[in-house]
Amino acid sequence: RRLPFQSGGFCLAEGAALPNPCVTARAFASTAVPASSSSSSVGGGGVIGTAEVASADAAALGKLAQKALAEGLLGEEQWQRFAARASQLTSEMSVPEAAKLAAAFSTARSVDFDLFARLSARTLEHLQAEGGSSEFRALELRRLTLAFGRARAFDSELMEALVPIIAERAADFRPRDLARITDAYARMPVASADLFAFVADVLTDYLYDLEPPELARLSRAFGQAAVYSEELFDALCVEVKQRIRSFGALDCVVFLEGLARVHEGLPEEMKRDDSATVNEVAERLGGALGSLSASELIRSFRALVQLDHYDRRLVHRKLCPALALRLGQLQGPSAFSDLAELLHCLSLLPAQSHKSVELAMTTASALRELGYPPPGGRHELRALGLVAKALAQLGQEDEELFLLLASAVHGRGGDGRPGAPPSLPGTPRAAPHELLALADDGELAELGRALGLPNGASATAVLCPAREAIAVELHRRQSLEAEGAAWAEGSSE
């Protein structure tokens, strides 16, 4: 059931829409949990034989998959054999068999999109059959939702159809089951506002039954889904304060991230005052920073900034030194985004210290050395905008970083510096640079505004061509849209 759209009830956070409800059924998410790269078993000392897998029926295959998990047999070849056999059997599977296999594959972090498509299709067939919902017990519903959420591979039609069944079976779920199901749905672009409304209504009186990680993830799930229930978050904050000594560092980070998203999306007239809760969680976090990685430290810093919480002792005596020690951990595709986020957070501090300034200089140096995009990374317009905003806020004339930003927008010339300025609107020009071609209009406009913030002589000289490139690309798109509309109008006549 849907709760009323009012303060104190259930509402969508303003400025943050629910995931796109128009995701085509059977269109699977492109982000999947990578399969294990190891071709040998881990910790199990063997493999389950090919003949045994090939002769197994669906029920036996599920047991073999669970046995492999229990024995630590996570080799890629092993799970490829399981996937091949499961694909042959999906047309005969019952709901429990499909749910068990989906759960096993997602737990092993071995995601075969073709197999998950078949499992989804078979499950949907059962659901659409007359009286089909009776086959879905709480166990199968939990296994299916957690598996598809963990794997990020799902059928949107199926996931939407499961929501009313979950509500019907509410009495069969433990509170922690509902919390985990909610977290799974938050990971999927499925229109599930009814689910979140139902969970908020049911779980508010049963938060005491959840462990600290589950309380934290519940906050994050509602923040990710851009759904708000005043009663739930009031009760959640009370529960967190009462049990704050049981929270680990990562639990604190996840809870603050969810609360920050909720605060960011609420309209002005519904803003919350959670300062007492944030103070206690931040104090607890400050005593356990040593267990967090560099990326997790940056996430905590960002959440505190978004919640407008500034504790000089926590930031300058604990958080900055911890980040300085772990900055070298930032490697891989997300390194540039993490460093950009850190530099932006540092720039927003109401007061600087020697340690924060030193950390900002080290972060800028790391960005210069890393380059853009980082090895194996992808284009992140938001990260580029954060760097530009941070440099403007800090008043830094870092020509090398300005060159990096400009080059990311419109490519490089032969000497490694930004290429020639693009042509003026209305004149022929080459295809847009990859970053410009992939971004949507809103992202380009936001990046253009960010690049206009640094106002020094060096920034103006270097970034002006980049801003022009963005303006030209936006003009090109508007022209193409106008031409398309004119062509469609002419064709209809």
Side-chain angles (χ1 to χ4, degrees):
R1 60 194 164 119
R2 184 180 295 276
L3 300 182
F5 232 74
Q6 60 183 15
S7 178
F10 167 80
C11 73
L12 299 184
E14 185 173 287
L18 273 171
N20 181 8
C22 299
V23 178
T24 304
R26 310 188 199 287
F28 283 75
S30 60
T31 55
V33 179
S36 170
S37 59
S38 172
S39 60
S40 60
S41 61
V42 180
V47 296
I48 296 175
T50 303
E52 188 176 4
V53 173
S55 61
D57 59 15
L61 187 64
K63 293 179 180 178
L64 289 176
Q66 289 186 326
K67 176 184 176 183
L69 287 173
E71 297 180 359
L73 305 179
L74 304 178
E76 184 176 356
E77 293 182 5
Q78 177 73 78
W79 287 88
Q80 285 178 345
R81 286 197 292 272
F82 285 153
R85 180 56 180 162
S87 295
Q88 297 171 350
L89 297 171
T90 49
S91 61
E92 305 170 0
M93 286 184 188
S94 65
V95 172
E97 291 166 347
K100 181 181 289 189
L101 280 169
F105 275 87
S106 65
T107 302
R109 300 192 180 271
S110 175
V111 180
D112 183 304
F113 283 108
D114 179 66
L115 173 60
F116 270 75
R118 291 172 183 267
L119 291 173
S120 295
R122 180 57 178 164
T123 306
L124 192 59
E125 286 178 10
H126 282 287
L127 184 59
Q128 293 173 339
E130 185 176 353
S133 62
S134 61
E135 298 185 56
F136 290 78
R137 300 174 301 168
L139 174 62
E140 282 73 54
L141 290 168
R142 178 174 58 82
R143 281 178 169 173
L144 287 168
T145 54
L146 297 188
F148 291 138
R150 187 185 298 122
R152 308 288 179 92
F154 54 89
D155 183 325
S156 57
E157 183 182 356
L158 171 63
M159 301 314 296
E160 291 174 16
L162 290 179
V163 170
I165 305 177
I166 293 172
E168 290 175 9
R169 305 281 192 275
D172 299 331
F173 289 104
R174 298 174 301 171
R176 62 185 53 186
D177 290 334
L178 288 177
R180 295 175 68 190
I181 288 171
T182 305
D183 186 44
Y185 266 89
R187 299 166 183 264
M188 299 181 282
V190 175
S192 51
D194 286 339
L195 173 72
F196 283 86
F198 156 73
V199 169
D201 193 26
V202 170
L203 281 188
T204 298
D205 295 329
Y206 293 93
L207 295 179
Y208 62 84
D209 201 43
L210 302 182
E211 296 297 323
E214 295 162 344
L215 291 170
R217 288 194 292 267
L218 188 63
S219 169
R220 180 182 63 186
F222 275 79
Q224 286 178 329
V227 178
Y228 174 61
S229 165
E230 184 177 3
E231 290 84 357
L232 175 65
F233 273 88
D234 286 347
L236 190 57
C237 288
V238 170
E239 192 70 25
V240 169
K241 285 188 291 184
Q242 290 177 346
R243 298 164 59 187
I244 190 62
R245 293 183 181 276
S246 301
F247 274 63
L250 189 56
D251 300 332
C252 293
V253 174
V254 172
F255 172 77
L256 290 174
E257 285 180 321
L259 193 61
R261 284 186 182 232
V262 168
H263 276 243
E264 188 177 24
L266 287 176
E268 191 62 35
E269 64 272 14
M270 295 182 66
K271 290 295 185 183
R272 299 176 55 86
D273 181 7
D274 291 317
S275 55
T277 303
V278 175
N279 286 339
E280 293 198 31
V281 176
E283 183 178 353
R284 176 66 179 172
L285 176 64
L289 292 178
S291 63
L292 298 178
S293 67
S295 180
E296 291 164 347
L297 288 169
I298 294 171
R299 287 167 52 193
S300 65
F301 198 173
R302 178 181 59 203
L304 291 172
V305 169
Q306 290 174 328
L307 289 166
D308 198 24
H309 177 83
Y310 175 66
D311 181 322
R312 183 177 180 83
R313 182 173 177 271
L314 171 62
V315 171
H316 297 289
R317 294 187 182 182
K318 295 184 177 182
L319 195 52
C320 285
L323 280 162
L325 285 174
R326 294 169 176 76
L327 210 60
Q329 294 179 359
L330 296 177
Q331 305 289 336
S334 64
F336 190 94
S337 294
D338 287 339
L339 290 167
E341 194 75 62
L342 174 57
L343 189 63
H344 186 242
C345 288
L346 289 167
S347 73
L348 296 176
L349 291 177
Q352 298 289 347
S353 66
H354 173 73
K355 290 181 179 178
S356 65
V357 171
E358 190 176 64
L359 180 58
M361 294 173 62
T362 304
T363 303
S365 175
L367 284 166
R368 290 193 296 268
E369 292 178 9
L370 186 62
Y372 183 88
R378 60 180 183 178
H379 288 299
E380 294 280 359
L381 271 74
R382 182 178 178 275
L384 295 174
L386 290 179
V387 173
K389 292 176 183 178
L391 293 176
Q393 185 72 21
L394 293 168
Q396 294 296 307
E397 283 282 296
D398 192 323
E399 185 175 2
E400 193 171 343
L401 272 181
F402 290 152
L403 286 169
L404 183 148
L405 296 176
S407 300
V409 172
H410 60 70
R412 296 177 179 271
D415 60 353
R417 298 174 66 86
S423 55
L424 295 174
T427 61
R429 67 187 295 269
H433 184 52
E434 180 184 4
L435 180 142
L436 299 180
L438 293 175
D440 63 35
D441 293 356
E443 291 173 331
L444 286 179
E446 177 62 27
L447 179 58
R449 286 190 292 270
L451 294 178
L453 294 176
N455 54 13
S458 173
T460 301
V462 176
L463 297 179
C464 183
R467 294 199 302 271
E468 183 186 352
I470 292 174
V472 169
E473 173 61 15
L474 288 173
H475 183 272
R476 184 186 72 87
R477 294 183 183 187
Q478 292 172 357
S479 299
L480 289 175
E481 186 176 347
E483 291 173 6
W487 180 85
E489 184 178 349
S491 299
S492 62
E493 293 176 357

